[in-house]
Amino acid sequence: MSPEKMKELLCKAVDKRAEEIKAIGRDIFAHPELGYREHRTSELVQKNFANLGIPYRAGISITGVRGELKGRASSVRVAVLGELDGLICPQHPYADPNTGAAHACGHNAQIAAMLGLAMALVETGLLSELNGDVVFMAVPAEEAIEAEYERKLLEEGKIKFATGKQDFIALGEFDDIDLALMFHSGGDEKKVKVGGTHNGNIKKFVQYRGREAHAGGKPHEGINALNAALMGLLGIHAQRETFRDEDYIRIHPIIIKGGDAVNIVPSDVRIDMQVRGASFQAILDASRKVDRALEAGAMAIGAEVEITNSPGYMPRVDCPPLSNLFRDNAVALLGEDAVGETGHRPSSTDAGDLSQLIPTIHPYVNGAEGSFHSSELTFVDEDLAYVMPAKLLGMTLIDLLCEGAKKALACKASYKPAFTKDSYLAAWEELVAK
Ligand SMILES: [Zn+2]
Ligand SMILES: [Zn+2]
């Protein structure tokens, strides 16, 4: 069968299930869960795999699920990813009142489209025409926003990394994967954006320790850890003019504990922080300046500071031949004017880590409206947000695996990984130790 015919059959099958796909997107949007606790969403994925007769494993990195469909030959293995987690955004209209979780980053669309593609591939039986396997991965915890909860899971040995794709890498779930496809929802002027790069980052957990005293009666006997922290933060701000535009440095701390009681001199102040940049070198340079400033705050007040670095995300790199396939399919369905380039994004994603190991694409598909990571984010075009990506991912998959999987093999050949899995794991150890 020609690739064009296969694409036509796939799109028809996706359209046939469109209402079901949109209902999944809506359902997950209304039931957001936080990283490594996406139990309901995980069960929804498992139920769909079971209904489709797709063999799967669950409980990977706590809530992750991995299903698999075999092709005519297993020349290449392609992962299609969807992220399970929401983030903390309590003002969001669909926020969970208990946890504050909300799908303010639109990951619900990824799961809906991934399952939509699975439905269409099963229904059409197209994989019997293709020289490769498809591995569906529902992956937890892309956002990595709960420093203390992540530390607890790490200490308990339940995870090895704070984000799901990193943990999947460490567990060996990507060892047998050649290429990875995913998308993120967008709300830009172009309906689809392809290619581009992302910042990486290092995470910092900062704890200032001072001495308690009566805040009204005898403050002179205390050591004010909050004042030390504030001086540390001011020191960071004073260095912003030293960051080069091309390095896209972003440093954004939040104080997660400011003291114990208003009438006690604060003795335990905690800060959660990410230091982002476009390259490892830039991140390390900014990270050293941040540490210096934080230490200076402690020194000024006579407090103590402990800085714990941990892996954030690696910068994302693109695989242009793979992105071009996705672009061509987007142009075919939506027209040239609807498709643009992502460019460099100063935000970060753990798709960055994956992109350093295997060819990975992370295009954007619209359908959402309102600022991402805010209570405004909502979906206004469900066909574009949930249904269209299933088609675009599926068409790209057909391109990759048809005709002896020659395009997949060409993408692999053009790609020079920055790391092996072992050198990747070692690199993170080294980066956070500096
Ligand atoms: Zn996201
Ligand atoms: Zn996000």
mmCIF file of all heavy atoms in Angstrom, residues 39 61 85 91 101 123 146 162 194 247 250 268 272 293 296 299 305 332 339-340 387 399-400 404 421 429:
data_model
loop_
_atom_site.group_PDB
_atom_site.id
_atom_site.type_symbol
_atom_site.label_atom_id
_atom_site.label_comp_id
_atom_site.label_asym_id
_atom_site.label_seq_id
_atom_site.Cartn_x
_atom_site.Cartn_y
_atom_site.Cartn_z
ATOM 1 N N HIS A 39 -2.589 8.660 39.267
ATOM 2 C CA HIS A 39 -3.134 7.290 39.292
ATOM 3 C C HIS A 39 -4.385 7.146 38.431
ATOM 4 O O HIS A 39 -4.556 6.172 37.712
ATOM 5 C CB HIS A 39 -3.407 6.871 40.737
ATOM 6 C CG HIS A 39 -2.160 6.818 41.560
ATOM 7 N ND1 HIS A 39 -1.186 5.873 41.387
ATOM 8 C CD2 HIS A 39 -1.695 7.650 42.535
ATOM 9 C CE1 HIS A 39 -0.180 6.085 42.219
ATOM 10 N NE2 HIS A 39 -0.468 7.170 42.926
ATOM 11 N N SER A 61 8.032 3.876 36.929
ATOM 12 C CA SER A 61 8.171 5.194 37.564
ATOM 13 C C SER A 61 6.856 5.553 38.273
ATOM 14 O O SER A 61 6.317 6.649 38.086
ATOM 15 C CB SER A 61 8.529 6.282 36.544
ATOM 16 O OG SER A 61 9.713 5.969 35.862
ATOM 17 N N ASP A 85 1.021 14.385 33.764
ATOM 18 C CA ASP A 85 0.846 15.271 34.920
ATOM 19 C C ASP A 85 0.291 16.653 34.596
ATOM 20 O O ASP A 85 0.462 17.181 33.505
ATOM 21 C CB ASP A 85 2.183 15.445 35.654
ATOM 22 C CG ASP A 85 3.279 16.066 34.765
ATOM 23 O OD1 ASP A 85 3.365 15.704 33.588
ATOM 24 O OD2 ASP A 85 4.028 16.921 35.273
ATOM 25 N N GLN A 91 -5.826 28.450 41.170
ATOM 26 C CA GLN A 91 -6.883 29.370 40.688
ATOM 27 C C GLN A 91 -7.512 28.905 39.371
ATOM 28 O O GLN A 91 -8.485 29.493 38.897
ATOM 29 C CB GLN A 91 -6.298 30.782 40.482
ATOM 30 C CG GLN A 91 -6.327 31.653 41.723
ATOM 31 C CD GLN A 91 -5.154 31.342 42.632
ATOM 32 O OE1 GLN A 91 -4.037 31.180 42.171
ATOM 33 N NE2 GLN A 91 -5.416 31.243 43.924
ATOM 34 N N ALA A 101 -3.915 20.887 41.701
ATOM 35 C CA ALA A 101 -3.446 20.444 40.379
ATOM 36 C C ALA A 101 -4.374 20.963 39.280
ATOM 37 O O ALA A 101 -5.595 21.006 39.451
ATOM 38 C CB ALA A 101 -3.398 18.917 40.319
ATOM 39 N N GLU A 123 -7.380 -0.201 14.679
ATOM 40 C CA GLU A 123 -8.545 -0.354 13.803
ATOM 41 C C GLU A 123 -8.151 -0.633 12.346
ATOM 42 O O GLU A 123 -8.755 -1.454 11.674
ATOM 43 C CB GLU A 123 -9.421 0.894 13.881
ATOM 44 C CG GLU A 123 -10.618 0.791 12.957
ATOM 45 C CD GLU A 123 -11.722 1.747 13.358
ATOM 46 O OE1 GLU A 123 -11.900 1.999 14.557
ATOM 47 O OE2 GLU A 123 -12.402 2.230 12.439
ATOM 48 N N GLU A 146 7.690 20.004 42.712
ATOM 49 C CA GLU A 146 7.508 19.817 44.161
ATOM 50 C C GLU A 146 8.807 19.280 44.765
ATOM 51 O O GLU A 146 8.949 18.078 44.994
ATOM 52 C CB GLU A 146 6.374 18.842 44.417
ATOM 53 C CG GLU A 146 5.031 19.360 43.951
ATOM 54 C CD GLU A 146 3.981 18.277 44.087
ATOM 55 O OE1 GLU A 146 3.928 17.404 43.215
ATOM 56 O OE2 GLU A 146 3.251 18.300 45.087
ATOM 57 N N ALA A 162 13.788 13.291 39.191
ATOM 58 C CA ALA A 162 12.588 14.058 39.526
ATOM 59 C C ALA A 162 11.578 14.105 38.387
ATOM 60 O O ALA A 162 10.407 14.391 38.606
ATOM 61 C CB ALA A 162 12.983 15.480 39.928
ATOM 62 N N VAL A 194 7.254 23.698 14.459
ATOM 63 C CA VAL A 194 8.136 22.528 14.454
ATOM 64 C C VAL A 194 9.585 22.956 14.709
ATOM 65 O O VAL A 194 9.934 24.126 14.595
ATOM 66 C CB VAL A 194 8.066 21.759 13.112
ATOM 67 C CG1 VAL A 194 6.678 21.228 12.852
ATOM 68 C CG2 VAL A 194 8.525 22.638 11.963
ATOM 69 N N ASP A 247 22.445 33.525 25.885
ATOM 70 C CA ASP A 247 22.423 32.374 26.793
ATOM 71 C C ASP A 247 21.037 32.133 27.402
ATOM 72 O O ASP A 247 20.824 31.111 28.062
ATOM 73 C CB ASP A 247 23.448 32.560 27.918
ATOM 74 C CG ASP A 247 24.875 32.416 27.413
ATOM 75 O OD1 ASP A 247 25.071 31.701 26.395
ATOM 76 O OD2 ASP A 247 25.783 33.014 28.020
ATOM 77 N N ARG A 250 17.552 32.211 32.761
ATOM 78 C CA ARG A 250 16.338 32.482 33.539
ATOM 79 C C ARG A 250 16.573 31.927 34.937
ATOM 80 O O ARG A 250 16.927 30.758 35.077
ATOM 81 C CB ARG A 250 15.116 31.774 32.943
ATOM 82 C CG ARG A 250 14.763 32.179 31.528
ATOM 83 C CD ARG A 250 14.064 33.533 31.506
ATOM 84 N NE ARG A 250 13.484 33.844 30.213
ATOM 85 C CZ ARG A 250 14.149 34.410 29.203
ATOM 86 N NH1 ARG A 250 15.415 34.708 29.333
ATOM 87 N NH2 ARG A 250 13.534 34.672 28.055
ATOM 88 N N ASP A 268 14.421 28.943 59.866
ATOM 89 C CA ASP A 268 14.447 27.893 58.826
ATOM 90 C C ASP A 268 13.702 28.436 57.610
ATOM 91 O O ASP A 268 12.472 28.542 57.619
ATOM 92 C CB ASP A 268 13.766 26.623 59.369
ATOM 93 C CG ASP A 268 13.683 25.512 58.326
ATOM 94 O OD1 ASP A 268 14.206 25.683 57.200
ATOM 95 O OD2 ASP A 268 13.077 24.463 58.632
ATOM 96 N N ASP A 272 13.070 27.221 46.643
ATOM 97 C CA ASP A 272 13.122 26.302 45.510
ATOM 98 C C ASP A 272 13.443 27.154 44.284
ATOM 99 O O ASP A 272 12.889 28.251 44.136
ATOM 100 C CB ASP A 272 11.750 25.625 45.367
ATOM 101 C CG ASP A 272 11.785 24.450 44.418
ATOM 102 O OD1 ASP A 272 12.888 24.048 44.003
ATOM 103 O OD2 ASP A 272 10.698 23.940 44.091
ATOM 104 N N ALA A 293 26.036 34.344 45.398
ATOM 105 C CA ALA A 293 25.112 35.331 45.951
ATOM 106 C C ALA A 293 24.387 34.769 47.177
ATOM 107 O O ALA A 293 24.229 35.458 48.191
ATOM 108 C CB ALA A 293 24.101 35.738 44.885
ATOM 109 N N ALA A 296 26.699 34.736 50.060
ATOM 110 C CA ALA A 296 26.959 36.090 50.560
ATOM 111 C C ALA A 296 25.837 36.553 51.488
ATOM 112 O O ALA A 296 26.087 37.228 52.495
ATOM 113 C CB ALA A 296 27.118 37.054 49.389
ATOM 114 N N MET A 299 26.413 34.987 54.793
ATOM 115 C CA MET A 299 27.580 35.576 55.455
ATOM 116 C C MET A 299 27.219 36.919 56.083
ATOM 117 O O MET A 299 27.602 37.224 57.212
ATOM 118 C CB MET A 299 28.704 35.752 54.429
ATOM 119 C CG MET A 299 30.055 36.077 55.045
ATOM 120 S SD MET A 299 31.241 36.516 53.772
ATOM 121 C CE MET A 299 31.471 34.933 53.006
ATOM 122 N N VAL A 305 23.865 28.486 55.165
ATOM 123 C CA VAL A 305 23.073 28.130 53.983
ATOM 124 C C VAL A 305 23.564 26.806 53.421
ATOM 125 O O VAL A 305 24.766 26.542 53.376
ATOM 126 C CB VAL A 305 23.120 29.241 52.907
ATOM 127 C CG1 VAL A 305 24.523 29.451 52.357
ATOM 128 C CG2 VAL A 305 22.154 28.938 51.763
ATOM 129 N N ALA A 332 0.458 19.497 4.734
ATOM 130 C CA ALA A 332 -0.508 18.756 3.908
ATOM 131 C C ALA A 332 -1.933 18.885 4.464
ATOM 132 O O ALA A 332 -2.893 19.005 3.703
ATOM 133 C CB ALA A 332 -0.100 17.287 3.829
ATOM 134 N N VAL A 339 1.806 26.736 9.391
ATOM 135 C CA VAL A 339 2.944 26.031 10.005
ATOM 136 C C VAL A 339 4.155 26.947 10.110
ATOM 137 O O VAL A 339 4.535 27.591 9.133
ATOM 138 C CB VAL A 339 3.301 24.768 9.184
ATOM 139 C CG1 VAL A 339 4.411 23.984 9.865
ATOM 140 C CG2 VAL A 339 2.065 23.887 9.005
ATOM 141 N N GLY A 340 4.730 27.013 11.312
ATOM 142 C CA GLY A 340 5.906 27.861 11.520
ATOM 143 C C GLY A 340 7.010 27.128 12.260
ATOM 144 O O GLY A 340 6.927 25.927 12.500
ATOM 145 N N VAL A 387 -7.454 15.971 18.240
ATOM 146 C CA VAL A 387 -7.619 15.035 17.111
ATOM 147 C C VAL A 387 -6.495 15.204 16.081
ATOM 148 O O VAL A 387 -5.902 14.221 15.622
ATOM 149 C CB VAL A 387 -9.010 15.233 16.456
ATOM 150 C CG1 VAL A 387 -9.210 14.234 15.323
ATOM 151 C CG2 VAL A 387 -10.118 15.089 17.510
ATOM 152 N N ASP A 399 5.450 7.725 7.519
ATOM 153 C CA ASP A 399 6.644 8.136 6.751
ATOM 154 C C ASP A 399 7.887 7.406 7.227
ATOM 155 O O ASP A 399 8.698 6.958 6.425
ATOM 156 C CB ASP A 399 6.887 9.654 6.913
ATOM 157 C CG ASP A 399 5.918 10.482 6.094
ATOM 158 O OD1 ASP A 399 5.531 10.027 5.001
ATOM 159 O OD2 ASP A 399 5.545 11.584 6.551
ATOM 160 N N LEU A 400 8.029 7.320 8.532
ATOM 161 C CA LEU A 400 9.247 6.726 9.104
ATOM 162 C C LEU A 400 9.367 5.242 8.789
ATOM 163 O O LEU A 400 10.452 4.743 8.497
ATOM 164 C CB LEU A 400 9.263 6.916 10.630
ATOM 165 C CG LEU A 400 9.544 8.332 11.138
ATOM 166 C CD1 LEU A 400 9.265 8.415 12.633
ATOM 167 C CD2 LEU A 400 10.998 8.722 10.855
ATOM 168 N N GLY A 404 10.462 -0.122 4.052
ATOM 169 C CA GLY A 404 11.620 -0.686 4.770
ATOM 170 C C GLY A 404 12.163 0.227 5.850
ATOM 171 O O GLY A 404 13.320 0.098 6.242
ATOM 172 N N LYS A 421 23.496 6.304 27.303
ATOM 173 C CA LYS A 421 22.750 6.331 28.565
ATOM 174 C C LYS A 421 23.708 6.473 29.755
ATOM 175 O O LYS A 421 23.469 7.271 30.661
ATOM 176 C CB LYS A 421 21.925 5.047 28.696
ATOM 177 C CG LYS A 421 21.141 4.985 29.988
ATOM 178 C CD LYS A 421 20.355 3.693 30.059
ATOM 179 C CE LYS A 421 20.249 3.181 31.462
ATOM 180 N NZ LYS A 421 19.702 1.829 31.507
ATOM 181 N N GLU A 429 25.348 13.605 37.235
ATOM 182 C CA GLU A 429 26.053 13.546 38.517
ATOM 183 C C GLU A 429 27.105 14.634 38.602
ATOM 184 O O GLU A 429 27.249 15.319 39.610
ATOM 185 C CB GLU A 429 26.703 12.170 38.696
ATOM 186 C CG GLU A 429 25.856 11.248 39.554
ATOM 187 C CD GLU A 429 26.490 9.900 39.753
ATOM 188 O OE1 GLU A 429 27.693 9.857 40.072
ATOM 189 O OE2 GLU A 429 25.783 8.894 39.581
#
